[in-house]
Amino acid sequence: MHIGQSVAIITDAGNPIGKAVALHFASLGATLALVDNNEIELKKTLQSCQKISESSAAFYIKYYDEPSINTLFQQVRERFGAINILLNTWTGTEIPHLLSPTSISDFNNTMQKSAASFFIFGKIAAEFMQHQPHQSVIVNLALSHENHQPHTPTTSKTVVSGLTQNWANELADFNIRVGGIVPINLQDKPNDQQGIVNVPMQDEIARNVEYIVRNDSFSGRMIESEMGV
């Protein structure tokens, strides 16, 4: 896919990694629809992107529910004429232990806050993309507060990997590719020194998003972005 001729929706564009991807794609000439529920950080990302390219717009979304997300996609398509790329960010936490006193309520909260919005973004993106004559790409990004555990199959990695493969199989006939990225930490760092938002990590993820988008044969697979390099 030619990134310079694409319209990309970047979710969680106000966080450091979303911002890094947005800046990288702005430098490649993409038209950007920046999305976040943090209006202040979203504006900062927009200002930074507009210093590189004027083909960017911010879409503040207060609630990550189905009506709000559907309206967002309609607005993006009306403004830019197409939706070619979605960076879909999972920012969930680990599923609670079964014997935890609050395990059921904690599980429900995790599914409602993290899994639901992630799934809704993917579903609505696919509904819009399936009617386009050209190839489209969904890139699922797994982030969580537990990424300091190297080589551990966290909830984020497990859920995002499974959904990425399932969606890729389901959407192949509609010319929609689905790939995923999960960070891994090669260094043994304490919890308060996680490298998840350091600059090398941001750049690594941005380059991997670019690779997935450019590689027309990449679908149904995950890339592990290494934090300790």
Side-chain angles (χ1 to χ4, degrees):
M1 176 181 291
H2 193 294
I3 294 176
Q5 299 175 352
S6 300
V7 177
I9 293 180
I10 309 293
T11 65
D12 289 330
N15 74 37
I17 291 179
K19 182 177 182 179
V21 175
L23 289 171
H24 185 66
F25 272 57
S27 70
L28 297 173
T31 298
L32 301 179
L34 308 172
V35 180
D36 209 303
N37 58 5
N38 185 325
E39 192 169 13
I40 294 176
E41 295 303 320
L42 177 61
K43 288 182 178 179
K44 291 179 181 179
T45 298
L46 175 64
Q47 292 170 355
S48 297
C49 288
Q50 288 181 333
K51 293 178 181 178
I52 302 173
S53 169
E54 295 183 355
S55 298
S56 303
F59 295 83
Y60 169 69
I61 180 169
K62 187 174 182 180
Y63 300 110
Y64 283 177
D65 55 22
E66 185 174 0
S68 299
I69 295 173
N70 188 66
T71 298
L72 162 72
F73 275 78
Q74 291 177 345
Q75 292 173 340
V76 173
R77 187 173 63 180
E78 289 172 0
R79 178 157 184 171
F80 297 125
I83 299 170
N84 309 105
I85 304 164
L86 169 68
L87 178 67
N88 191 20
T89 306
W90 163 284
T91 53
T93 57
E94 286 297 277
I95 291 177
H97 297 293
L98 281 175
L99 298 181
S100 168
T102 60
S103 61
I104 295 177
S105 61
D106 290 344
F107 177 82
N108 289 336
N109 288 334
T110 296
M111 293 299 102
Q112 181 178 4
K113 292 180 180 179
S114 301
S117 60
F118 180 84
F119 192 90
I120 292 169
F121 267 106
K123 171 182 171 57
I124 295 178
E127 290 176 344
F128 275 79
M129 291 174 173
Q130 68 176 322
H131 301 297
Q132 299 179 151
H134 43 72
Q135 189 181 77
S136 304
V137 184
I138 297 173
V139 180
N140 294 326
L141 174 60
L143 297 180
S144 76
H145 298 298
E146 289 76 21
N147 278 320
H148 61 274
Q149 300 174 356
H151 313 302
T152 301
T154 62
T155 298
S156 296
K157 180 177 180 179
T158 303
V159 172
V160 172
S161 297
L163 289 178
T164 296
Q165 185 173 17
N166 289 342
W167 292 358
N169 292 335
E170 180 180 355
L171 301 177
D173 290 340
F174 299 102
N175 206 19
I176 303 172
R177 293 189 291 112
V178 186
I181 300 172
V182 59
I184 60 171
N185 192 351
L186 300 183
Q187 297 177 352
D188 187 13
K189 297 182 180 182
N191 295 4
D192 59 351
Q193 297 180 6
Q194 297 177 39
I196 189 61
V197 295
N198 64 24
V199 173
M201 183 60 187
Q202 296 167 22
D203 293 340
E204 175 76 5
I205 289 178
R207 289 194 301 270
N208 284 336
V209 175
E210 177 190 355
Y211 173 80
I212 292 174
V213 173
R214 287 192 186 277
N215 189 341
D216 291 341
S217 64
F218 193 105
S219 191
R221 292 179 283 151
M222 301 290 294
I223 294 178
E224 292 184 337
S225 292
E226 298 175 349
M227 296 166 58
V229 296

